[in-house]
């Protein structure tokens, strides 16, 4: 569990994090979203005791980070995978961390297996590829078998295989009852990985909500329509004449917004057009998020709604 209460960080006259209150619960992957400069990294650094709040508090497993005796055994983090002493081997790097946190040596070999680095354990860290370096960062985060994991952009530099690996790893860590808190600017990845979302803009809380609810509540009603090829343009014209927006989707069907499946079906019947597919579709997380950051509608589902245009400016 991570609990922030009225957490605030000011740099001079700039407020990077502004009275942020949220709880990151165990058993779920919680995604942390917000545009660049929103205050995500600053928040994560305060959780990890790397930055002192100007006011407010944040605790991990009920304690301030600096009061944790062996922090790696409570919270594992990956903020910047490059912050490793390049001259050390992979194993020595992890052994050093293990020793300073009273973690048994055999756990080093366990995590090396877990992250797929056992074969390069004796290589120097500076020779690792970006993806391997990221895995080493994750190995360090998992070393103390912590109940809380905090990862800032963990899939940066990973290939498709690596991205899928991280996703499965984080989901399984959450399924074991751990608290997993991660930021990513990759919306499609976040949509696949996170169960819950905390969204901030200009340091303030915009939404603290279940991922599916967030998408369902804020989706524009959409419908995928497929007709025989020779009727596709007629269908499009008809839909547009009823005020719908129509675009070709990735599957080659029409993606219709503004009319639901029943309205589209009735329209087709009226004009004796064949319909081969009629599927309600939700917006993607990226679509919902982008639309909200552009318009000034309020985030529904937010505990404390703000005007988002203001919050994102
Ligand atoms: P994010 O991680 O969401 O991109 P950051 O937490 O890095 O956002 O930054 C939030 C705001 O705080 C930005 O306006 C940034 O310029 C400012 N900021 C971050 N760190 C510092 C610092 N050490 N000194 C001054 N301003 C900072």
């Amino acid at each position: 569990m991570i609990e922030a209460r009225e957490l605030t960080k000011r740099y001079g006259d700039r407020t990077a994090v502004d009275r942020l209150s949220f709880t990151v619960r165990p058993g779920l992957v919680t995604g942390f979203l917000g545009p660049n400069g929103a205050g995500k990294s600053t928040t994560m650094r305060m959780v990890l005791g790397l930055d002192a709040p100007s006011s407010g508090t944040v605790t991990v497993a009920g304690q301030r980070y600096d009061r944790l005796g062996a922090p790696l055994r409570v919270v594992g983090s990956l903020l910047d995978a490059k912050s490793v002493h390049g001259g050390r081997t992979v194993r020595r790097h992890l052994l050093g961390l293990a020793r300073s946190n009273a973690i048994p040596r055999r756990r080093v070999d366990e995590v090396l297996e877990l992250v797929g680095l056992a074969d390069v354990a004796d290589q120097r860290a500076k020779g690792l590829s970006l993806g391997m370096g990221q895995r080493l960062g994750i190995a360090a985060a998992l070393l103390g078998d912590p109940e809380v994991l905090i990862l800032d952009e963990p899939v940066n530099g990973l290939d498709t295989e690596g991205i899928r690996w991280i996703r499965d790893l984080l989901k399984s860590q959450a399924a074991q009852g751990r608290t997993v808190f991660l930021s990513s600017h990759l919306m499609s990845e976040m949509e696949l990985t996170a169960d819950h979302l905390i969204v901030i803009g200009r340091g303030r809380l915009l939404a603290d909500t279940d991922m599916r609810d967030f998408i369902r509540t804020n989706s524009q009603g959409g419908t995928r329509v497929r007709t025989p090829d020779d009727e596709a343009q007629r269908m499009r014209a008809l839909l547009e004449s009823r005020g719908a927006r129509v675009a070709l989707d990735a599957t080659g069907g029409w993606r219709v917004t503004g009319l639901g499946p029943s309205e589209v079906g009735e329209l087709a019947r009226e004009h004796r057009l064949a319909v081969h597919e009629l599927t309600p579709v939700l917006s993607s997380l990226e679509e919902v998020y982008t639309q909200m950051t552009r318009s000034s509608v309020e985030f529904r589902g937010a505990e404390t709604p703000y005007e988002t245009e203001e919050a994102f400016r």
Side-chain angles (χ1 to χ4, degrees):
M1 184 107 103
I2 302 168
E3 284 188 284
R5 291 290 163 264
E6 297 282 310
L7 190 62
T8 301
K9 180 69 184 180
R10 280 183 289 272
Y11 292 109
D13 58 5
R14 172 170 223 133
T15 305
V17 173
D18 194 0
R19 289 165 294 145
L20 206 52
S21 295
F22 60 80
T23 302
V24 185
R25 284 184 293 276
L28 301 173
V29 176
T30 299
F32 196 25
L33 290 181
N36 278 341
K40 302 182 298 296
S41 300
T42 304
T43 302
M44 285 181 159
R45 285 203 308 271
M46 288 193 284
V47 178
L48 294 165
L50 298 168
D51 250 342
S54 306
S55 62
T57 58
V58 62
T59 59
V60 189
Q63 295 266 18
R64 264 174 43 182
Y65 189 91
D66 58 5
R67 305 252 166 91
L68 297 171
L72 284 196
R73 300 175 68 162
V74 179
V75 50
S77 64
L78 174 69
L79 292 196
D80 178 3
K82 288 180 291 299
S83 62
V84 170
H85 190 300
R88 278 199 200 127
T89 68
V90 166
R91 181 180 278 111
R92 290 212 65 78
H93 170 66
L94 294 174
L95 280 172
L97 290 174
R99 195 172 313 120
S100 56
N101 280 267
I103 294 165
R105 290 176 69 95
R106 66 182 147 70
R107 178 67 185 159
V108 169
D109 290 313
E110 266 173 39
V111 295
L112 284 171
E113 280 297 329
L114 188 61
V115 305
L117 288 181
D119 291 346
V120 298
D122 297 315
Q123 278 187 29
R124 289 186 197 286
K126 67 180 167 200
L128 297 179
S129 67
L130 194 58
M132 292 277 200
Q134 205 74 352
R135 285 176 187 248
L136 177 56
I138 288 165
L142 295 174
L143 195 59
D145 201 10
E147 63 186 272
V148 178
L149 280 171
I150 298 179
L151 306 109
D152 197 5
E153 299 279 354
V155 302
N156 269 2
L158 294 183
D159 56 15
T160 317
E161 177 60 33
I163 290 177
R164 182 167 327 121
W165 172 77
I166 289 257
R167 185 195 309 151
D168 293 343
L169 177 81
L170 296 183
K171 281 174 176 284
S172 72
Q173 295 288 314
Q176 290 165 18
R178 289 176 229 271
T179 302
V180 181
F181 190 39
L182 85 148
S183 73
S184 173
H185 68 283
L186 299 173
M187 295 290 162
S188 52
E189 191 44 39
M190 197 58 110
E191 183 170 356
L192 290 173
T193 310
D195 308 295
H196 195 89
L197 285 180
I198 292 175
V199 187
I200 64 171
R202 301 177 89 209
R204 294 188 302 193
L205 186 71
L206 297 177
D208 180 348
T209 173
D210 178 87
M211 161 87 75
R212 295 290 136 214
D213 285 352
F214 181 69
I215 292 177
R216 217 175 292 124
T217 313
N218 296 295
S219 264
Q220 294 192 325
T223 309
R224 182 162 59 237
V225 184
R226 202 183 303 280
T227 61
D229 286 350
D230 58 346
E231 292 182 354
Q233 291 308 329
R234 227 184 115 209
M235 176 60 101
R236 176 187 197 140
L238 258 178
L239 291 165
E240 285 177 342
S241 75
R242 298 295 166 98
R245 276 188 292 122
V246 184
L248 204 57
D249 79 0
T251 71
W254 294 126
R255 167 75 183 269
V256 180
T257 38
L259 290 180
S262 54
E263 294 159 304
V264 176
E266 290 301 329
L267 192 63
R269 179 165 69 168
E270 215 177 289
H271 293 270
R272 303 184 60 78
L273 285 172
V275 171
H276 289 179
E277 185 186 346
L278 198 53
T279 312
V281 281
L282 288 176
S283 304
S284 65
L285 174 63
E286 181 156 29
E287 286 166 335
V288 170
Y289 177 82
T290 309
Q291 181 208 334
M292 297 213 132
T293 56
R294 278 207 202 114
S295 70
S296 62
V297 283
E298 291 179 352
F299 272 94
R300 280 173 276 163
E303 283 179 347
T304 320
Y306 290 101
E307 290 292 317
T308 56
E309 198 172 63
E310 157 69 12
F312 278 89
R313 203 177 293 128

